[in-house]
Amino acid sequence: MSIWFLLNALLLLWAIWNVSLGISSYSSYIHILLGFAGFLLFIFNWTRNAVFSTIRNAKTRHAKVRLARMSKQIRPYHRWVGSSALVMVVLHGLAIIHLYGFDLTNMKILTGFLASLNMMVLVLSGWYRLLIDPRIRIRKLHIRLGISMFILVAIHFLF
């Protein structure tokens, strides 16, 4: 099993903890649910990275084939899930701006803004790779954007 499975699981548990605290302390919590929905869609897509890592490190051919088949079944939905995550994150951001204003001195808003910009480029790079240029350079960019998205989301949860 890849280290990414563990990191994804830890981030998911942390997100559930943050959401449960947020729902219990705010009277209006639609912004929290929108952000959590976007996060769930992102982490679902990002778990494919863990699957690919596990395929590379698997000892038996049977395990590699099983994981590759599972990933192949999910692949047609990958871009649509990512695009839906972007929509949820944008709605989350609009709800936050409506409730609290756009104050980039607030670290929670700043990290969320940076994460949303990163997600926008991440989704665009995925579609660009599908429709225009499938070179390895774009794939590496897409993976690096996914890693930075993971880190930015974790930092966003800190504040």
Side-chain angles (χ1 to χ4, degrees):
M1 179 163 50
S2 168
I3 187 73
W4 282 110
F5 278 118
L6 177 63
L7 292 173
N8 290 351
L10 289 173
L11 191 63
L12 178 63
L13 290 173
W14 193 9
I16 291 170
W17 177 260
N18 278 347
V19 167
S20 63
L21 287 178
I23 287 176
S24 66
S25 61
Y26 291 103
S27 59
S28 172
Y29 50 83
I30 188 70
H31 62 286
I32 296 170
L33 295 178
L34 286 169
F36 187 61
F39 169 76
L40 287 177
L41 292 169
F42 162 73
I43 206 72
F44 173 78
N45 264 358
W46 183 241
T47 301
R48 285 190 73 216
N49 182 54
V51 171
F52 290 137
S53 257
T54 304
I55 289 171
R56 283 189 294 274
N57 298 330
K59 303 286 188 234
T60 66
R61 184 179 188 287
H62 175 71
K64 288 181 180 190
V65 168
R66 185 176 47 87
L67 289 169
R69 282 188 181 145
M70 180 182 66
S71 181
K72 188 177 180 180
Q73 289 175 341
I74 295 170
R75 191 184 73 202
Y77 308 106
H78 181 74
R79 286 173 189 85
W80 295 107
V81 170
S83 297
S84 299
L86 178 62
V87 168
M88 290 296 163
V89 166
V90 167
L91 291 174
H92 167 71
L94 291 174
I96 291 296
I97 290 170
H98 177 72
L99 289 171
Y100 302 108
F102 188 68
D103 179 19
L104 288 179
T105 60
N106 181 334
M107 286 305 289
K108 187 79 165 176
I109 292 175
L110 178 63
T111 58
F113 180 68
L114 292 174
S116 65
L117 286 177
N118 186 76
M119 180 169 263
M120 192 175 307
V121 177
L122 179 66
V123 169
L124 289 174
S125 72
W127 282 105
Y128 179 78
R129 189 166 170 248
L130 172 72
L131 300 173
I132 299 170
D133 186 9
R135 284 186 284 174
I136 191 83
R137 186 177 59 175
I138 305 300
R139 190 184 107 213
K140 287 182 179 182
L141 170 69
H142 191 69
I143 291 170
R144 287 181 183 125
L145 286 167
I147 292 169
S148 63
M149 184 69 193
F150 184 88
I151 293 167
L152 284 168
V153 167
I155 293 170
H156 185 65
F157 289 161
L158 277 174
F159 297 103

